[in-house]
Amino acid sequence: MTPSAPAPTRGRIDKRRAILDAAITVFARDGYAQASVDAIAAEARVAKPTIYNHLGGKENLFRTAMVEAAEESRRKVLATLEGFPTDPAGPEALRTDLNAIAWQLVDCMRSAAGWAMSRLLYAEAARFPDVYDAVQAEGGRQVNDALAGRLARLANAGHLEIPDPLRAARHFMALISADIPGLSALGTRAVADKVLRESIADGVDTFLRAFAKA
Amino acid sequence: MTPSAPAPTRGRIDKRRAILDAAITVFARDGYAQASVDAIAAEARVAKPTIYNHLGGKENLFRTAMVEAAEESRRKVLATLEGFPTDPAGPEALRTDLNAIAWQLVDCMRSAAGWAMSRLLYAEAARFPDVYDAVQAEGGRQVNDALAGRLARLANAGHLEIPDPLRAARHFMALISADIPGLSALGTRAVADKVLRESIADGVDTFLRAFAKA
DNA sequence: ACTATGTTGAACTCATCAGTTCAAATTCAT
DNA sequence: ATGAATTTGAACTGATGAGTTCAACATAGT
């Protein structure tokens, strides 16, 4: 709300980026309807007409900000999944690796922007079905495919027994994030890393009970 | 929006109930901010001042409607859990019973009001932390306790091997509802019963892989 | 320096909506 | 029937906010 700080930057710089970042911040904080374009302009240290020049109206601003944020988040997750060990030394190494994957995945949802995405998606899915499709049906599927691929390779190397990798990937995600909404009160409270790690370890444990090689 | 129908009922009847039901309907459809008190009045076939007489302002209307709806939903779930078999005939009967429990649980979230709760809770958790606490931290915990009790009794009767019933209950919930947000696009699309049943059966299957008696 | 382009602030329009007021109408209990 | 309590419609106030306009201004490329 308060411009407050270091002299309003003029001229043509990375206004567009600043606007989109500010939009995510303000939409996440206030929700779509309660977020005012003026507040976003202030947060971005930009004049209101600049927003309309770059991004049309409030609706399109919302769409663009959400989709770009989702793309970035998805890129991060996929990159993380790429570089993971396929053939751990033994059962304990496997458990450690799965915990590490799980931590990376959870860490993405846990960030402020991550919760912003979740909350806004939930809240506005009915009013912006196209945004939901772009973010979840598209990005969510890609992440699940990639995760299924990693799990399948672990199974192939003889560490897991997985009849249906896609299903196992969905259940892995569900198990490691089972406690998060409750623990963080839907993202409104901070969660201690230690607590989160225990919750994730629990999820991995159940997953291994179900899918570890007999 | 449209009054349309059978002559506006006057006098003192169940106005309060009608208002709260209409509030849930409209809040669920439009979201808190976009829902107008006039729209709720129209939906309830009631004059606007009547709402203010019964329930004060918009905020209190929201709080009351959410909390009462949550209480009713919780009562239904707990009642369902009460009447469930504790000692199935064998492994296949156990699986059938778990599928039945799971269906009941999912069916509550799946109703229009159920999704309304979820969506509104998510969207407004930051602005109405007290509502979140009343609904989730309170009701969610009770349901999880009850479910943990059922699972513990099944374990006690020798059908399951469960180290930590509370944890198992959380993971059971997570597994049987893993696919629902994706399948229903966060409640904005209808899901065929058959698809839902398969998704639930998958969750129960993974649960049994993890916790069935060896 | 000169110019095209992008940016700014500020004021403005128009719509929506929460909450209020009040006199007329309706219902219920007796 | 009568009177107390409640409901109703309709008009009103005040606030908030989306989107626009425009003259002044800053910046980049030439």
Side-chain angles (χ1 to χ4, degrees), chain A residues 42-213:
Chain A
E43 175 79 23
R45 298 187 191 295
V46 143
K48 189 155 63 148
T50 307
I51 293 185
Y52 285 87
N53 284 343
H54 276 292
L55 291 149
K58 191 185 184 183
E59 278 203 10
N60 194 56
L61 172 58
F62 179 72
R63 273 179 232 278
T64 311
M66 288 290 283
V67 170
E68 291 203 4
E71 272 171 9
E72 193 195 328
S73 164
R74 187 185 57 204
R75 259 196 306 278
K76 213 170 89 185
V77 176
L78 290 177
T80 306
L81 282 179
E82 276 314 309
F84 250 87
T86 312
D87 193 4
E92 277 319 305
L94 170 64
R95 183 180 294 266
T96 306
D97 287 350
L98 287 180
N99 269 290
I101 295 186
W103 178 263
Q104 302 279 356
L105 291 171
V106 165
D107 203 42
C108 290
M109 334 186 82
R110 191 180 63 133
S111 67
W115 275 111
M117 299 295 308
S118 303
R119 298 245 316 283
L120 290 171
L121 261 197
Y122 244 85
E124 310 299 335
R127 240 181 324 272
F128 294 92
D130 53 318
V131 172
Y132 174 80
D133 286 340
V135 173
Q136 192 69 4
E138 176 79 3
R141 206 188 44 75
Q142 280 188 35
V143 169
N144 201 71
D145 282 1
L147 178 57
R150 306 311 292 188
L151 294 177
R153 289 172 74 172
L154 285 168
N156 200 44
H159 299 98
L160 293 172
E161 180 130 11
I162 294 185
D164 180 348
L166 286 172
R167 201 183 106 182
R170 286 197 304 273
H171 287 170
F172 183 76
M173 284 298 309
L175 286 170
I176 65 174
S177 54
D179 298 335
I180 302 185
L183 286 176
S184 71
L186 298 176
T188 57
R189 287 203 295 259
V191 189
D193 279 14
K194 182 163 176 273
V195 176
L196 200 52
R197 243 176 245 282
E198 281 167 10
S199 152
I200 290 172
D202 284 352
V204 169
D205 186 65
T206 294
F207 182 81
L208 284 174
R209 285 178 75 110
F211 296 111
K213 192 84 171 187

Side-chain angles (χ1 to χ4, degrees), chain A residues 8-66:
Chain A
T9 322
R10 293 220 167 193
R12 68 187 75 160
I13 332 180
D14 51 342
K15 302 293 184 190
R16 198 190 132 98
R17 250 286 47 85
I19 292 169
L20 290 175
D21 290 345
I24 286 291
T25 303
V26 175
F27 279 134
R29 189 186 59 213
D30 299 342
Y32 176 76
Q34 332 245 28
S36 78
V37 176
D38 295 86
I40 294 171
E43 175 79 23
R45 298 187 191 295
V46 143
K48 189 155 63 148
T50 307
I51 293 185
Y52 285 87
N53 284 343
H54 276 292
L55 291 149
K58 191 185 184 183
E59 278 203 10
N60 194 56
L61 172 58
F62 179 72
R63 273 179 232 278
T64 311
M66 288 290 283

